[in-house]
Amino acid sequence: MNYPEPITKLIDSYMLLPGIGRKTATRMAFYTLSMDKDDVKEFSDNLMSAKTDLRSCAICGNITTEETCSICRDTNRDQSTILVVEQPKDILSIDDMNAYNGLYHVLGGVLSPVDGIGPENLNIKLLLNRLRENKAVKELIIATNATPDGEATAQYLAKLVKPAGIKVTRLARGLAVGSDIEYADEMTLKSAVLGRREI
Amino acid sequence: MNYPEPITKLIDSYMLLPGIGRKTATRMAFYTLSMDKDDVKEFSDNLMSAKTDLRSCAICGNITTEETCSICRDTNRDQSTILVVEQPKDILSIDDMNAYNGLYHVLGGVLSPVDGIGPENLNIKLLLNRLRENKAVKELIIATNATPDGEATAQYLAKLVKPAGIKVTRLARGLAVGSDIEYADEMTLKSAVLGRREI
């Protein structure tokens, strides 16, 4: 026996999501059948809306429903610092901690020779234009992930931007707060020792 | 900073799914933005289709796009046995192991006094009608989950059906106690069917 087509196709759609295999997708599809009809309708509409109503901010690449995003439009923010992230979702993580009030720039990924992603595939040209046109920017904080590709991308950006006299910094690496030295990996420990601070 | 409304609403929709918290829903929503537009459109359509094009089989309660399901229409199947499951998805698990070729009946749940689910909330009346009208049925295999509620439901059904002279069996205790049929491996399911016992 095969499932009827509508449920098979819904299972296939759920399987497109990251980390969702056939078993979980099947469970989700059957759960969908038991959901309130209005909720499913809204779910269906929200999928299309997210795909059609959202665009990239013309300045920083963040997601927005307008021409520019709410952060770029906010003149109360510190205009002298730009923090560079890989993805729009990283902005919320950083902004939520209330320790940074400057601007952002979204690369849309990292350099990855293995995946064939070069500088031309990232939002780098827009960043250089921003720095050229806006002389108020004094510091560029590179907050790519602490992965080899994130590291390489940070080095690449630093080389591009430093000659313009802009200070380029990178998020500190070291022990995660609350973590044990015993369980830290070698590279993390090394960074923690090299980046030690006087107390 | 808050996310734009289209993404917030999509995150909320993903959070309706079983086992999906805010972090995973956020990841899924951002992943959706990077998906092919046609895939998202199809996903959106499939959600509505599963909810509107599927109905319960008028005979057994299985999901179907027609008046009756493909199993009930299949005259090559053994018409003397009905296997009772909690949910439509259980039918595929059992049918896929190729150890059973009879008919099915979907209860739509189990008796659960705690959740206020009594016999009137389950597909039991239709089952009794089937047994009354179709004298060919000689055995009723009760394949509710091996949970206390599944067990109680099996006992309840046995008491109802036995007086009519129909043999009532229960899947063998090959299933791990407290586990769901959906997650059982094929061999366990197979031995459970073959080792079924009269109750």
Side-chain angles (χ1 to χ4, degrees), chain B residues 24 32 58 64 90 92 110 113-114 186 190:
Chain B
T24 312
T32 308
T64 174
D90 297 331
L92 195 73
V110 278
V114 174
E186 216 169 293
K190 203 164 186 167

Side-chain angles (χ1 to χ4, degrees), chain B residues 84-186:
Chain B
V84 179
V85 292
E86 291 184 19
Q87 302 293 349
K89 63 186 168 200
D90 297 331
I91 293 183
L92 195 73
S93 305
I94 291 177
D95 227 54
D96 269 358
M97 64 179 176
N98 294 319
Y100 177 75
N101 191 38
L103 304 173
Y104 290 93
H105 195 85
V106 179
L107 289 180
V110 278
L111 297 174
S112 174
V114 174
D115 298 327
I117 297 173
E120 67 282 2
N121 303 115
L122 301 178
N123 203 6
I124 292 178
K125 211 173 151 186
L126 209 63
L127 175 64
L128 298 181
N129 284 345
R130 262 180 104 174
L131 297 176
R132 206 172 297 128
E133 284 166 22
N134 184 357
K135 297 295 178 198
V137 180
K138 302 290 175 229
E139 182 180 356
L140 195 71
I141 304 174
I142 305 180
T144 47
N145 288 327
T147 56
D149 284 347
E151 208 54 52
T153 308
Q155 296 296 339
Y156 177 85
L157 285 179
K159 246 182 224 171
L160 274 186
V161 173
K162 267 188 167 176
I166 295 166
K167 186 176 167 190
V168 181
T169 55
R170 178 97 176 92
L171 291 195
R173 280 285 188 182
L175 295 173
V177 175
S179 67
D180 279 22
I181 283 180
E182 190 185 351
Y183 296 108
D185 69 280
E186 216 169 293

Side-chain angles (χ1 to χ4, degrees), chain A residues 178-197:
Chain A
S179 66
D180 280 15
I181 286 180
E182 186 184 357
Y183 299 114
D185 63 276
E186 216 171 292
M187 291 305 293
T188 303
L189 261 183
K190 204 167 186 171
S191 318
V193 171
L194 293 175
R196 67 190 181 274
R197 292 213 227 153

Side-chain angles (χ1 to χ4, degrees), chain B residues 42-73:
Chain B
E42 214 183 306
F43 188 177
S44 170
D45 291 344
N46 290 344
L47 275 170
M48 284 314 289
S49 164
K51 197 63 193 173
T52 54
D53 298 343
L54 289 175
R55 52 161 119 179
S56 289
C57 168
I59 298 174
C60 75
N62 189 12
I63 50 165
T64 174
T65 51
E66 320 270 326
E67 172 75 13
T68 56
C69 76
S70 57
I71 293 180
C72 286
R73 286 197 307 270

